[in-house]
Amino acid sequence: MTLLAFLFALLGFVLLALAMDRHARDLIGRPPSHSRRRRMRAGAILALAACYGLTITGWGVVLGSILAYALMSLAAAVVLLAVSHRTVRRSGKG
Amino acid sequence: VSGFRQSQSSLHTWAGLIVGWVLFSIFLAGTISYWREDVNRWMRPELGSVESPDRLVTGAMRFLGRTVPDAEAWYIAVPERAASATDVFWQPQPVKGEAPRRGRRRDTQSLVGPDGERVSVRETRGGDFLYRFHFDLHYVPVIWARWFVGFCAMMMLIAIVSGVITHKKIFVDFFTLRRAKGQRSWLDGHNALAVLALPFHLMITYTGLVTLMTLYMPWAAVANYKAPAALFETLAPSAGRVERSGTPAPLVDPVPLLRDATLRWGGAAVGLVQIELPGDAQARITLTAAPSSGVSARRRSLTYSGATGRLIWRSPDTGPGAQTAGVLVGLHAGRYAPDALRWLYFLSGIGGTLMVASGLVLWTVKRREKLPDPQRPHFGFRLVERLNIGFVAGFPLAITGYFWANRLLPVALRSRADAEINALFLTWAAALACAFLLPARKAWVGLLALCGGALALLPLWSPLGPRGLVGAAVEGDLRMIAMNLMLLLIGAAFIAIARKVARYRPKARRSARRPAAASPEPALLEAAE
């Protein structure tokens, strides 16, 4: 349950990063269109909500809320490191 | 608006700098304290296999009944995590005409095994010392230390808020970490560490102040409560004092009461057994819930009659103020947190430690390029640079020295626990001396590499022993396996950082050759500063 919640948090932050011009260019080569960006942000919010929903079902409201925040922090850090790593590799090749 | 942001930027820089070194030490020691019990066990290799709490309480009762049957009160800590012995404390009967002695806990405490015998382990304060250090420091009076730590925490709060105002592109730069770009990378890294765990940093700093609020801001309490005891009674209600009757009566076995309490609390375990006036007809047994029973640091308790085992008192719900303070303190200490959450606390703590460290280094990185003569920087720059080395590389090395002293000092040494602590501060003093005497780069590389190597070698000391890399694995002692792997991992990380520093070539020369590449940067930097 916790692992699944973490994967949802990761998905949420990946979508948020891809919805941003700079990272989308670095990661997939082009910035997202306006509507696509909106869809990705909506998806990100759903994914983060799913993460929160899963943690509170598994751990109760009190512990689940704390855990959800901590998992989201960790997921954001992982996405940041991955984005940074990919960017270095791509710019190294190009 | 830009003038305001500029002023916030200066505030951030200087509020962060003057307390940064102390904050780094507090953050690091506090972060390790999330694994206090495990560090305790790792530093006492004599402790044997894990025992059930019931057997430990029974053993502790037998020990206390034999050694101090006439004490005023007994206290038995019921361990929650893997333990093979339990801490017992007692309060001797007051002697007429003599003030009760305080602060001499060592004479009235013991570590007792399930057989009711004192467990003979090497004398050490283990992880408890790092925990105390993170708010009491050492060698200075505790009250001064707490005021000083509180001042630093207040400055930290100022640095966090002004840092958020200064960092105007929090959302645009949310996932940004540009590598190998000198100052830009340091700034990105500092921002990333700060923003990603911002709620943690705010929470830990604010709740840290709350833990000592009655020291820092006594006025509300002084105005409302005539005696300090009345305040503590409100914050932590108890069944009240009892008078000794003088009639002896046998004490009931507290172990069945532990089950009764757990049943009444809906499954929460007992963390502390307190027995007042043991052996007297008026004896009372008070059970306090374990830390895992809830976020709040103020925990429920039940009081039973010691002669009959009947429930005579249950703690009332405390008021909203006390409840809020309890939750805030609980959030800070994380004692309620199961292991998975404890790991996330630990990671966030490391993030905070690195955030402070990167902020300190950033101060010098930013100013190095503006120095009129980089070969001979002015006094202030040199002082900050050297203190950075002495703390950021020196304090982890000092803790490593503490761990090594635990392994190397003879077990029978007199006041051995103090000797271990002295080893920590001697190592630190030596590191500071290196920082001021050696050239900066040599000092960084030398201290970081030494710290990494010494950390990584710790699990290899007596590898077949119960806490060694192989010994713990053979016994299947998961917590000690994890501790050893973390020592190896963190040691490797220190060595990797040392290699990076050793290979680093100052950017000034490169950017002088390629002025075109560097030109868009300054504008960005000024804006972000």
Side-chain angles (χ1 to χ4, degrees), chain B residues 345-504:
Chain B
Y345 260 100
F346 180 68
L347 284 178
S348 305
I350 289 184
T353 312
L354 291 176
M355 172 185 74
V356 176
S358 62
L360 285 169
V361 173
L362 188 56
W363 192 94
T364 59
V365 170
K366 252 185 203 168
R367 280 156 190 80
R368 191 188 304 281
E369 290 173 11
K370 292 181 196 150
L371 288 173
D373 178 1
Q375 294 305 312
R376 280 184 300 143
H378 55 84
F379 173 74
F381 184 89
R382 273 210 314 257
L383 181 69
V384 170
E385 185 180 43
R386 300 307 162 126
L387 283 173
N388 280 353
I389 302 172
F391 276 75
V392 174
F395 186 53
L397 182 65
I399 295 178
T400 313
Y402 177 60
F403 288 164
W404 270 110
N406 175 264
R407 290 294 188 256
L408 294 179
L409 290 175
V411 173
L413 189 71
R414 277 173 62 83
S415 45
R416 190 178 182 286
D418 290 333
E420 284 183 11
I421 293 166
N422 290 337
L424 185 153
F425 288 99
L426 283 174
T427 315
W428 202 351
L432 275 162
C434 285
F436 277 89
L437 296 176
L438 294 176
R441 177 200 297 258
K442 274 208 179 112
W444 271 121
V445 174
L447 293 177
L448 289 169
L450 183 63
C451 179
L455 272 175
L457 284 176
L458 275 168
L460 303 177
W461 170 259
S462 136
L464 298 176
R467 301 292 181 264
L469 194 59
V470 180
V474 169
E475 279 187 26
D477 189 341
L478 283 178
R479 307 191 73 88
M480 292 302 109
I481 295 174
M483 171 101 190
N484 282 331
L485 291 180
M486 280 314 284
L487 288 170
L488 283 175
L489 190 71
I490 297 172
F494 268 95
I495 291 174
I497 298 170
R499 270 167 64 105
K500 271 226 136 127
V501 178
R503 287 180 179 171
Y504 170 76

Side-chain angles (χ1 to χ4, degrees), chain A residues 13 16-17 20 22-23 59 62-63 66-67 69-71 73-74 76-77 79-81 83-85 88, chain B residues 169 171-179 192 196-200 295 331 336 338 340-341 344-345 347:
Chain A
F13 281 106
L16 281 180
M20 292 165 78
R22 189 198 295 160
H23 303 307
W59 292 60
V62 177
L63 280 191
I66 301 170
L67 184 73
Y69 154 68
L71 287 177
S73 264
L74 183 64
V79 172
L80 176 134
L81 288 176
V83 166
S84 163
H85 192 71
V88 170
Chain B
K169 293 193 293 186
F171 292 108
V172 177
D173 279 348
F174 197 84
F175 296 110
T176 305
L177 176 58
R178 281 153 287 194
R179 299 187 184 203
L196 291 180
L198 184 62
F200 174 82
V295 175
L331 269 180
Y336 68 90
L341 192 51
L344 295 168
Y345 260 100
L347 284 178

Side-chain angles (χ1 to χ4, degrees), chain A residues 2 13 22 33-34 38 43 48 53 69 74 77:
Chain A
T2 310
F13 281 106
R22 189 198 295 160
S33 68
H34 186 67
R38 283 217 339 230
L48 293 180
Y69 154 68
L74 183 64

